Amino acid sequence: MTNDADKPKPPDMLQRHFAALWSTIRQDEAGPRPPDEQRLLLDQIRNAFDRAANRLSDTTNAYIAGTFTVEGSIYRSETTEILQLRHRDLGTLHALKTLPFMQAANAPLIERLRREAAIGLGFRHSTIVETTVLLRLDDGRPALLQDWQGRSLLDLYKHADMIELDIGALLFRLLEALAVIHEQGYVHCDVAPGNIFIPAGDPKSAMLGDFGISLRKGECHSDLGLAFAGSPDFLPPEHGPEKPVDTSHDIYALGRLTAYLLDRQKEQARHDLQLFSAACAQNDPFQRPRSAEDARALLMHLNEQERS
């Protein structure tokens, strides 16, 4: 005779719910889910628990990763939020790029930010804004941490704070950044004033940042689910969401950027810079310099002619 105490007890309510959740993660009505889909579901569930735990907390966490205090939000759109942080011990400034709280469960945006982190972590060069680490915030949102490089070229012009800028020095600096990016097989896809930073107003320290829409050469933005990507005034005529990107797209953007700078600093509208802008921003991609190295050689040649 079997003692009731020896009989297996049915799982309690929590165990049953957990078993049902795990079953849902593992498979749907059509059968087993692919491993990538299972991992994505697990990640979203973990984010949901993180947000719930944060709401249950009796105190507000004043620090990010126990290390950084938030100085303020410096940019916010429907898909992106950028915060200025200060290191609690060192006092240094940093930038943190994440998703708006309302997009915390948006799986495509999460994957896009992680992809941007993977690209950014692969670059270590003085001309490129480096990604330090990919963090997970207390509410589950992913976030990129970078050193603070000050305001962008766009912000400096917008607020009339732009000091006299050596356009030639800035162009050489950006061409060096593009050479590094292209050498690793990527196209930046958004060489525009909002992604160029001028620490302390020195063009010889200029840096190119933001790899949010960068692609490997030959990829299309539609692969990321994007119907439109880039800054309209800096996109080449052959650009399209379903068309493969090429390094010549960045060269075109640099030509348009040169025209943008010359228009704002007319006293520097030298003939060599005008010729460089026209050569890089040719509508026919085969008429442009074929690489950052070719564009650099052209700029040096035009500079020498201007001085002679």
Side-chain angles (χ1 to χ4, degrees):
M1 184 173 179
T2 305
N3 191 315
D4 288 344
D6 297 327
K7 291 180 180 180
K9 293 182 172 58
D12 61 20
M13 183 178 296
L14 181 60
Q15 290 174 316
R16 289 197 302 272
H17 285 319
F18 182 82
L21 177 62
W22 183 240
S23 177
T24 301
I25 293 169
R26 297 285 299 275
Q27 61 185 26
D28 59 17
E29 294 178 356
R33 297 183 189 273
D36 287 347
E37 188 175 336
Q38 291 185 38
R39 282 193 290 270
L40 182 59
L41 284 172
L42 279 170
D43 206 47
Q44 291 304 304
I45 291 168
R46 180 168 57 173
N47 287 346
F49 279 124
D50 285 342
R51 290 192 295 273
N54 195 50
R55 288 195 297 268
L56 289 172
S57 175
D58 291 333
T59 59
T60 300
N61 187 357
Y63 298 103
I64 291 178
T67 305
F68 303 95
T69 58
V70 178
E71 296 279 296
S73 176
I74 59 173
Y75 176 81
R76 183 180 292 132
S77 69
E78 291 184 2
T79 60
T80 303
E81 183 170 13
I82 300 178
L83 305 176
Q84 184 185 64
L85 309 183
R86 188 177 296 278
H87 195 287
R88 63 187 295 187
D89 298 315
L90 302 178
T92 51
L93 289 175
H94 302 264
L96 183 137
K97 182 177 182 179
T98 186
L99 312 177
F101 183 76
M102 296 301 292
Q103 300 283 9
N106 188 317
L109 288 182
I110 290 171
E111 287 305 305
R112 201 179 302 161
L113 192 63
R114 288 175 176 165
R115 180 181 179 278
E116 180 180 353
I119 295 173
L121 286 166
F123 293 116
R124 289 291 179 265
H125 197 270
S126 61
T127 60
I128 295 173
V129 178
E130 297 178 356
T131 298
T132 306
V133 70
L134 176 66
L135 297 173
R136 181 185 294 273
L137 303 183
D138 287 345
D139 57 23
R141 288 179 291 169
L144 307 184
L145 183 68
Q146 300 172 329
D147 287 341
W148 178 255
Q149 303 301 336
R151 287 188 292 177
S152 70
L153 187 61
L154 179 64
D155 284 338
L156 290 171
Y157 277 127
K158 186 183 298 183
H159 294 92
D161 291 338
M162 191 64 223
I163 63 172
E164 187 67 22
L165 182 69
D166 185 338
I167 296 175
L170 174 61
L171 293 176
F172 278 117
R173 185 81 173 170
L174 294 175
L175 283 166
E176 189 176 355
L178 289 178
V180 173
I181 293 167
H182 295 170
E183 184 179 1
Q184 293 198 30
Y186 286 98
V187 182
H188 185 276
C189 298
D190 201 10
V191 182
N195 297 326
I196 297 166
F197 300 87
I198 318 289
D202 181 5
K204 293 181 180 179
S205 300
M207 306 179 81
L208 180 61
D210 197 337
F211 293 92
I213 61 171
S214 298
L215 296 173
R216 284 200 173 275
K217 182 178 178 180
E219 293 180 335
C220 307
H221 281 112
S222 59
D223 298 336
L224 301 181
L226 297 174
F228 180 84
S231 302
D233 291 340
F234 300 87
L235 292 174
E238 70 272 17
H239 173 81
E242 296 183 355
K243 295 182 178 180
V245 299
D246 185 79
T247 53
S248 68
H249 292 190
D250 286 344
I251 301 301
Y252 178 91
L254 194 67
R256 295 289 299 146
L257 176 71
T258 306
Y260 171 93
L261 294 169
L262 290 173
D263 186 55
R264 283 154 182 77
Q265 297 189 193
K266 297 185 184 298
E267 65 280 0
Q268 288 196 55
R270 302 192 320 249
H271 189 55
D272 59 333
L273 296 178
Q274 292 173 336
L275 290 175
F276 178 77
S277 173
C280 291
Q282 289 280 346
N283 284 338
D284 183 352
F286 295 102
Q287 297 300 315
R288 302 169 200 152
R290 293 304 299 162
S291 67
E293 290 84 357
D294 288 347
R296 179 182 174 84
L298 173 63
L299 183 57
M300 291 182 67
H301 173 69
L302 293 172
N303 281 177
E304 290 170 0
Q305 284 189 329
E306 182 78 12
R307 289 195 297 266
S308 63

